[in-house]
Amino acid sequence: MASILDEYEDSLYRSASVQQSRASVGIPHSGYVNARLEKETPIFNKQRIDFAPPEKINNLVVSSNQLCMSLGKDTLLRIDLGKPDEPNQVELGRKDEAKVYKMFLDHTGSHLLIALNTSECLYLNRSVQKVRALSRWKGHLIESVGWNKFLGSETNTGPILVGTAQGQIYEAEISVSEGSLFSTNPDQYFRQVYTLEEESGPAPVCCLEVERGIEGKFFIIATTRKRLFQFVGKVPEGTEQQGFSSIFAMHADHLPSFREFPASFGFSEIAFYTPKLRSNPRSFAWMMGNGVLYGTLDYSRPDSILSDERVWVYPPDIDITVNKPISIVLTQFHFLLLLPDRVKAVCTLNGQVVFQDLFLEKFGLLTRMIKDPTVQQIWIHTEKVVFRYHVQRESRDVWKMYMNMNKFDLAKEYCKDRPECLDIVLAKEAEHCFQNKRYLDSAKCYALTQNYFEEIALKFIEAKQEEALMEFLIKKLSNLKPSEKTQTTLLTTWLTELYLNWLGILEGDPSQRNLYLDTREKFRTFLSSPKNKDCLFNNRASIYELLASHGDTEHMVYFAVIMQDYERVVAHHCQHDEYDEALNVLSRHRDEKLFYKFSPVLIQHIPKKVVDAWISMGSRLDARNLIPALVNYSQSASTQQINEAIRYMEFCVYQLEETQQAIHNYLLSLYALCRPDSLLSYLEQAGTNPNRIHYDLKYALRLCAEHGHHHACVHIYKVMELYEEAVDLALQVDVDLAKSCADLPEDDEELRKKLWLKIARHVVQEEKDVKKAMACLSSCALLKIEDVLPFFPDFVTIDHFKEAICNSLEDYNKHIEELKREMEEATQSAKRIREDIQEMRNKYGSVEPQEKCAACDFPLLNRPFYLFLCGHMFHYDCLLQAVFPNLPAYKQAKLEDLQKKLAATSQPSKSHHRPKDADTISLGKGQQSREQIKADVDDIVAAECVYCGELMIRSIDKPFIDPQKYEEEMQSWL
């Protein structure tokens, strides 16, 4: 039973192609093409199991991938479908003529009940090999078992329900002991809880099912040949193990609710569909005489679990008197009926037969059909052969059925991953809504289809449904891709036109005020939509034209704001004299270019507010670009209005600390024109350093001169260091101002004297004030009485100068005395210097014979040497060698020249101390003596000790080893 022998011939239901579907529902062609390259797999795919039974198959059950098969009279075959190569055969051990009547396998595949036709029942657990008789069950022909899916385990069934052929319902429990497996009876108890009856009396219990709902509520479904009973009741929490007796006891005095149908073919069977493992069933199908009762299970209902019930009659070719159905199996959307020679699949949505599979006579009559709920596989067997059906993609064509039933939401749910089918459903839904005059819903659906755009648009236009047309265009626009720019532009422009037309109609009707406001809000939402932003921006000229053609200035401004076209907004406000609104837009969006453009207009009408706005912008505005607006404004405005211009310029200069010359020059011109009292303070605050002054000095001088601001001119002259011009102009204003100017050239006494003479001449000749002229002498130490006398007229008496002349003579006497004192100090200093020189000549030092040169460490007295006051002693050549590299270039050249001259003398030196007459030999006319040359050499070489003087300090940053000889020195150490 391990492998598949072959795929048996089948005539399974095939779903129609998309083109056929479109024709059947009358949907216009869309952009999809149905191109299936491979043959579609059937929904119910039959396989014949490669198994040849040694004896005829009496019964077959399967659950949780565990298959149990009754063969012949006494053999039971168990197969784990996960390991099909390891079948397990168990003997029933019966010697009588008893035959297997029915078998029941629980949901875990662990507990197998074998009902015999002798009213006996056997039990077999999956973990054991021995069949055990259930003694308490003897005498009852078992028709059905209701397993406990909530308390059952592999070793214990929990409380279960058992239905008999006599109509009794028993409650029982089977338990397997793990220690000594069957040392006691496995059936713990077996007690009757209820009897099912029909009109004629007790009837066989054909089926039993136990389900648990919410809040501890249990639902028990039991069927007879004609009736379907429901028992509903709560089992207190914690008492589930005590069984279901309490539920049946509630119906001891009255019948439970039931469904009854008149026809019967001697038995019935109920099937359930469970979508997920270990979850509650979702739907049921009860096969009985009148047809199949199909419905859903609603666990929230108080008294009945059955919901949405309907009866599907059997297909016309089924005659219950000749070939009545044998078994039923329920899937998600179909129920399968087993007939003696075929299988029929009926759709639960429309009752149509969608699949029929005819079996050949050579296989024998079909005996039973069962479904494994855990793997959703369907098993069918005859006495010779076993077949298995796989259910694959059962919902593939459900969408079409829901669509034909006008259940469009469900149809879309089942084809959401198949765009070509979804398009058909949407088109059908759109047409359905249109026919029922639900135009807005129709527009939304049409927008999602691939139908021709023009046809749909014309459809709404002909129906005069402009609002639905707009909805269609909006939805269509939202579904366009970013690459479809042409379509986006078309729809955007068209929608704008439609909105404007609709708003124009509504605005003139006072009764439609609320609708107008709602439409206006939608239009503004449309204009401000981020998805439409790029398209609207690229086509804003066309949108502006549409808005202008409709005279809708309100939305023109709104659209301009959205497009950030603030220039148009501000221009609109200015044209309508709404200057405050224009300034508010500028202040809100803080665009510098717009400030520059509209400030000339705004400052003419609201100067103070404009300047406030400029100040709030701070350094973001370049004041140079605002000067033209201020110039035009100041030329036609009053002094009070000019003060606003001065206020902004002062803000730029003092708060923003602007250094641009144009700004300072313009502020200077405003001061000179309207606020002269602030002019001089501004100039003084700017300082007197020409390099740190930001205004143009020449322009300022010319400006101040034109307006007669002499004090300011004097200040500018001082900054320009034109002191003579400053004094000349200051003398026209104030002598004291001229005096302050005369003292400025501190480093040029001649110029200062000249300036003071100018002042003195002015005082004598212009003011003719002798006392003031004498005051000038006391104010400037450079002036003497003899400098001022030529300025006085000849008739002036000496009495006016008596005091000044006496003071001058006294100063001369003091100066002469001071010169005498300095001469005496110089004579004394020269005398001390001569004495020091004489003392130095007589100074000497002693050298021991063992003394060595501090540089070469050889005996000192072997060669000419130097002795320094610090105590260091060097050979002449050693000292020369140490000093020479550190001398400046010019001293090195001079030293080399002196050495050449010294070598050229006729008597070279033998020792450091020579007779005086030898050192003073003349070297010829115009040449230095040998002694003088040696003295010059000593001044260079022996100016200081090489170890204690500045030479050692200057060489502190020099390396001990010459970098050029570093490698050589390093190698010598290796």
Side-chain angles (χ1 to χ4, degrees):
M1 204 178 234
S3 61
I4 299 173
L5 178 63
D6 58 6
E7 285 195 9
Y8 194 66
E9 62 273 15
D10 60 78
S11 57
L12 294 179
Y13 167 68
R14 300 285 193 270
S15 63
S17 66
V18 176
Q19 290 88 342
Q20 293 171 336
S21 301
R22 289 189 177 282
S24 65
V25 297
I27 300 299
H29 170 72
S30 72
Y32 294 108
V33 177
N34 181 32
R36 296 182 181 175
L37 302 180
E38 299 181 2
K39 186 177 181 180
E40 192 174 66
T41 305
I43 295 177
F44 302 102
N45 188 17
K46 182 177 70 177
Q47 297 174 344
R48 178 183 172 183
I49 304 304
D50 184 14
F51 172 66
E55 299 180 73
K56 69 176 183 179
I57 303 172
N58 299 324
N59 213 316
L60 182 147
V61 290
V62 61
S63 181
S64 295
N65 240 13
Q66 302 295 317
L67 186 144
C68 297
M69 186 185 302
S70 171
L71 301 176
K73 177 183 176 182
D74 199 47
T75 304
L76 190 67
L77 188 66
R78 296 187 299 182
I79 301 172
D80 184 351
L81 297 178
K83 303 174 182 178
D85 294 331
E86 303 175 5
N88 176 251
Q89 186 170 318
V90 179
E91 299 298 329
L92 297 181
R94 303 289 295 192
K95 303 300 183 182
D96 53 15
E97 296 300 322
K99 295 180 181 179
V100 174
Y101 176 62
K102 284 186 178 181
M103 294 197 305
F104 308 95
L105 186 63
D106 81 319
H107 63 286
T108 66
S110 302
H111 307 283
L112 176 66
L113 293 175
I114 306 165
L116 304 179
N117 59 357
T118 58
S119 298
E120 295 178 84
C121 191
L122 306 177
Y123 172 75
L124 178 64
N125 190 276
R126 183 170 64 179
S127 61
V128 300
Q129 285 290 105
K130 186 177 179 180
V131 177
R132 185 75 171 175
L134 302 176
S135 58
R136 292 187 174 91
W137 296 41
K138 190 172 182 178
H140 301 284
L141 184 61
I142 307 303
E143 288 284 348
S144 58
V145 175
W147 296 102
N148 193 326
K149 293 180 285 187
F150 317 106
L151 298 178
S153 65
E154 294 183 358
T155 60
N156 188 288
T157 62
I160 62 175
L161 297 177
V162 180
T164 68
Q166 292 77 32
Q168 295 95 357
I169 298 177
Y170 288 86
E171 185 179 76
E173 183 175 359
I174 301 173
S175 179
V176 180
S177 174
E178 297 182 0
S180 53
L181 197 53
F182 287 109
S183 60
T184 59
N185 290 332
D187 49 337
Q188 302 296 309
Y189 61 88
F190 189 78
R191 57 175 176 260
Q192 184 178 352
V193 293
Y194 204 81
T195 300
L196 296 182
E197 296 182 353
E198 293 182 351
E199 293 178 353
S200 59
V205 183
C206 300
C207 298
L208 280 171
E209 182 73 16
V210 180
E211 296 297 338
R212 182 170 63 184
I214 59 177
E215 298 179 353
K217 186 180 292 185
F218 280 82
F219 299 88
I220 300 173
I221 297 175
T223 66
T224 62
R225 291 166 297 188
K226 293 183 179 181
R227 292 182 176 181
L228 186 151
F229 294 88
Q230 292 186 76
F231 298 89
V232 182
K234 286 188 177 182
V235 176
E237 185 176 356
T239 64
E240 292 88 349
Q241 197 66 39
Q242 298 177 8
F244 309 104
S245 302
S246 60
I247 297 177
F248 289 100
M250 296 169 59
H251 302 279
D253 300 330
H254 61 277
L255 286 176
S257 63
F258 64 88
R259 304 283 190 276
E260 184 175 14
F261 294 90
S264 170
F265 43 63
F267 67 94
S268 70
E269 184 175 343
I270 192 167
F272 296 90
Y273 168 68
T274 304
K276 293 181 180 179
L277 183 64
R278 297 185 184 277
S279 64
N280 292 329
R282 194 175 70 181
S283 57
F284 74 96
W286 180 37
M287 182 183 71
M288 40 78 184
N290 289 85
V292 176
L293 177 65
Y294 173 79
T296 59
L297 301 178
D298 186 356
Y299 297 92
S300 62
R301 300 181 67 182
D303 54 355
S304 174
I305 192 174
L306 308 181
S307 178
D308 299 330
E309 303 169 53
R310 68 177 67 180
V311 177
W312 295 116
V313 297
Y314 295 116
D317 59 342
I318 295 180
D319 185 357
I320 62 173
T321 60
V322 179
N323 59 343
K324 58 186 176 183
I326 302 170
S327 294
I328 186 171
V329 163
L330 181 62
T331 63
Q332 185 178 6
F333 296 105
H334 302 85
F335 59 82
L336 280 73
L337 296 173
L338 180 68
L339 301 172
D341 61 345
R342 70 193 63 191
V343 173
K344 285 181 178 290
V346 180
C347 179
T348 58
L349 299 177
N350 55 16
Q352 300 297 316
V353 177
V354 297
F355 166 73
Q356 179 172 283
D357 193 1
L358 184 65
F359 288 77
L360 299 180
E361 292 182 2
K362 66 178 181 178
F363 298 130
L365 296 176
L366 301 178
T367 305
R368 182 167 172 76
M369 176 172 63
I370 192 169
K371 185 181 75 169
D372 185 348
T374 58
V375 294
Q376 303 295 327
Q377 292 179 348
I378 301 170
W379 295 80
I380 297 176
H381 73 91
T382 67
E383 292 182 347
K384 303 176 182 179
V385 185
V386 178
F387 298 93
R388 178 172 57 189
Y389 281 96
H390 292 275
V391 183
Q392 298 179 339
R393 296 180 60 238
E394 184 182 3
S395 62
R396 67 184 68 172
D397 291 320
V398 170
W399 64 271
K400 191 185 304 180
M401 301 171 192
Y402 278 129
M403 179 184 69
N404 291 330
M405 297 164 62
N406 292 334
K407 294 183 177 181
F408 300 109
D409 291 339
L410 290 172
K412 288 183 283 188
E413 179 66 24
Y414 285 101
C415 64
K416 58 185 178 182
D417 56 343
R418 300 170 66 184
E420 71 280 2
C421 302
L422 181 61
D423 187 65
I424 297 173
V425 175
L426 289 169
K428 180 66 179 294
E429 183 182 6
E431 183 64 26
H432 175 77
C433 294
F434 193 91
Q435 296 298 332
N436 288 275
K437 300 186 183 303
R438 293 163 47 201
Y439 297 110
L440 287 177
D441 294 336
S442 176
K444 294 176 183 178
C445 293
Y446 269 131
L448 300 175
T449 68
Q450 297 294 321
N451 289 28
Y452 291 124
F453 173 83
E454 298 85 348
E455 293 179 0
I456 300 171
L458 287 172
K459 198 169 186 175
F460 287 115
I461 293 174
E462 291 173 357
K464 297 182 179 179
Q465 295 297 321
E466 189 168 303
E467 187 177 0
L469 175 61
M470 290 167 59
E471 185 68 28
F472 168 68
L473 296 179
I474 291 172
K475 294 294 182 182
K476 203 71 177 177
L477 178 62
S478 65
N479 294 330
L480 290 178
K481 300 177 181 178
S483 58
E484 297 174 319
K485 295 183 179 180
T486 303
Q487 295 89 332
T488 303
T489 301
L490 172 65
L491 293 180
T492 302
T493 308
W494 194 1
L495 276 169
T496 303
E497 176 70 20
L498 290 174
Y499 268 121
L500 291 173
N501 286 337
W502 188 239
L503 287 171
I505 295 172
L506 295 176
E507 189 177 11
D509 189 353
S511 63
Q512 301 288 337
R513 179 62 180 174
N514 292 334
L515 181 58
Y516 168 77
L517 295 176
D518 184 58
T519 305
R520 185 182 68 174
E521 187 62 29
K522 289 182 179 179
F523 181 44
R524 293 186 174 185
T525 303
F526 167 75
L527 293 176
S528 59
S529 171
K531 188 172 183 180
N532 303 332
K533 183 177 181 180
D534 291 340
C535 178
L536 290 170
F537 181 80
N538 295 331
N539 299 279
R540 59 188 182 279
S542 300
I543 304 299
Y544 281 132
E545 290 178 3
L546 285 174
L547 293 167
S549 66
H550 286 265
D552 195 341
T553 57
E554 179 185 0
H555 284 105
M556 181 182 291
V557 174
Y558 181 82
F559 179 69
V561 172
I562 293 173
M563 294 293 102
Q564 297 183 357
D565 189 0
Y566 303 118
E567 181 177 350
R568 185 181 294 269
V569 177
V570 176
H572 170 80
H573 288 311
C574 290
Q575 290 171 1
H576 293 78
D577 296 337
E578 298 171 352
Y579 302 110
D580 288 333
E581 290 295 328
L583 184 59
N584 289 337
V585 174
L586 290 177
S587 302
R588 187 163 55 249
H589 300 288
R590 306 175 72 84
D591 188 330
E592 299 88 348
K593 294 181 180 179
L594 295 182
F595 266 104
Y596 300 147
K597 182 172 182 177
F598 291 101
S599 289
V601 177
L602 296 176
I603 201 169
Q604 298 290 337
H605 300 88
I606 47 174
K608 185 178 186 304
K609 294 181 179 179
V610 171
V611 171
D612 290 339
W614 289 352
I615 292 175
S616 66
M617 287 287 289
S619 60
R620 293 183 60 178
L621 289 179
D622 187 348
R624 291 178 300 174
N625 296 326
L626 297 173
I627 289 177
L630 292 173
V631 170
N632 293 333
Y633 171 67
S634 61
Q635 290 177 350
S636 59
S638 64
T639 303
Q640 183 179 359
Q641 292 171 325
I642 293 177
N643 289 336
E644 295 297 329
I646 294 176
R647 182 163 68 96
Y648 180 65
M649 288 291 105
E650 288 179 338
F651 169 77
C652 295
V653 171
Y654 298 122
Q655 300 296 325
L656 301 182
E657 298 181 354
E658 285 284 355
T659 59
Q660 296 293 332
Q661 191 177 80
I663 296 172
H664 286 262
N665 286 346
Y666 183 59
L667 178 60
L668 198 66
S669 67
L670 293 175
Y671 281 151
L673 179 64
C674 298
R675 201 179 290 176
D677 54 331
S678 300
L679 175 62
L680 188 59
S681 61
Y682 164 76
L683 294 175
E684 291 175 348
Q685 188 173 352
T688 58
N689 187 345
N691 297 324
R692 296 183 179 180
I693 288 177
H694 305 302
Y695 58 84
D696 187 339
L697 290 169
K698 294 181 180 179
Y699 171 76
L701 181 62
R702 183 174 64 254
L703 191 68
C704 294
E706 289 177 356
H707 291 84
H709 302 311
H710 297 304
H711 279 83
C713 290
V714 171
H715 179 81
I716 296 171
Y717 277 134
K718 291 192 293 183
V719 174
M720 298 173 69
E721 297 183 356
L722 300 176
Y723 301 116
E724 292 190 44
E725 290 82 353
V727 170
D728 291 340
L729 184 58
L731 289 174
Q732 300 177 18
V733 179
D734 184 9
V735 174
D736 292 334
L737 179 61
K739 290 180 180 180
S740 64
C741 297
D743 284 331
L744 291 177
E746 297 177 355
D747 298 331
D748 191 346
E749 292 186 355
E750 184 178 351
L751 178 58
R752 285 174 58 202
K753 185 176 181 179
K754 182 178 180 181
L755 297 177
W756 276 103
L757 286 174
K758 282 179 175 286
I759 297 171
R761 177 182 296 173
H762 173 80
V763 171
V764 173
Q765 296 180 352
E766 299 297 331
E767 297 186 7
K768 295 180 174 54
D769 190 342
V770 178
K771 291 184 178 180
K772 188 178 292 188
M774 293 300 101
C776 290
L777 293 179
S778 60
S779 299
C780 180
L782 298 177
L783 291 182
K784 304 298 180 183
I785 184 61
E786 58 269 25
D787 298 324
V788 180
L789 286 175
F791 302 146
F792 289 93
D794 295 338
F795 56 83
V796 177
T797 61
I798 197 171
D799 294 338
H800 294 88
F801 311 110
K802 180 178 180 180
E803 184 178 356
I805 292 173
C806 291
N807 292 335
S808 177
L809 292 175
E810 288 179 359
D811 290 340
Y812 280 126
N813 289 332
K814 291 179 181 179
H815 184 60
I816 291 171
E817 291 296 330
E818 185 176 349
L819 289 178
K820 287 181 179 180
R821 187 171 58 256
E822 289 177 359
M823 289 174 62
E824 290 177 359
E825 290 176 356
T827 302
Q828 294 295 327
S829 177
K831 182 178 179 182
R832 287 194 296 271
I833 290 171
R834 284 194 296 270
E835 291 175 353
D836 290 342
I837 293 173
Q838 186 63 34
E839 183 180 356
M840 286 297 293
R841 287 178 179 175
N842 296 328
K843 197 170 186 180
Y844 64 92
S846 61
V847 179
E848 300 295 331
Q850 67 273 16
E851 295 287 351
K852 295 182 179 181
C853 175
C856 66
D857 206 28
F858 280 92
L860 184 67
L861 300 177
N862 290 346
R863 298 198 301 275
F865 63 89
Y866 288 101
L867 171 62
F868 291 95
L869 294 176
C870 61
H872 288 115
M873 293 170 279
F874 300 92
H875 287 132
Y876 167 75
D877 53 344
C878 293
L879 183 61
L880 180 63
Q881 185 178 2
V883 172
F884 187 80
N886 298 295
L887 292 174
Y890 74 93
K891 284 193 176 183
Q892 289 180 353
K894 182 177 180 181
L895 183 59
E896 289 176 353
D897 182 53
L898 292 172
Q899 286 179 326
K900 289 179 182 178
K901 290 181 179 180
L902 192 61
T905 57
S906 58
Q907 294 181 359
S909 175
K910 295 293 184 179
S911 66
H912 186 63
H913 299 285
R914 296 181 298 278
K916 181 179 178 181
D917 56 350
D919 290 334
T920 57
I921 297 174
S922 174
L923 297 179
K925 187 177 181 180
Q927 295 185 350
Q928 291 175 312
S929 65
R930 182 180 179 84
E931 183 180 358
Q932 183 62 43
I933 294 173
K934 281 188 64 58
D936 292 342
V937 172
D938 289 344
D939 290 340
I940 296 174
V941 176
E944 59 182 359
C945 175
V946 71
Y947 286 171
C948 303
E950 292 184 4
L951 180 61
M952 181 58 66
I953 297 174
R954 289 197 302 269
S955 65
I956 193 170
D957 59 343
K958 294 183 179 179
F960 292 106
I961 301 174
D962 189 350
Q964 297 179 355
K965 299 180 180 180
Y966 181 78
E967 292 294 333
E968 179 182 350
E969 185 69 23
M970 186 176 66
Q971 293 296 331
S972 67
W973 282 66
L974 297 177

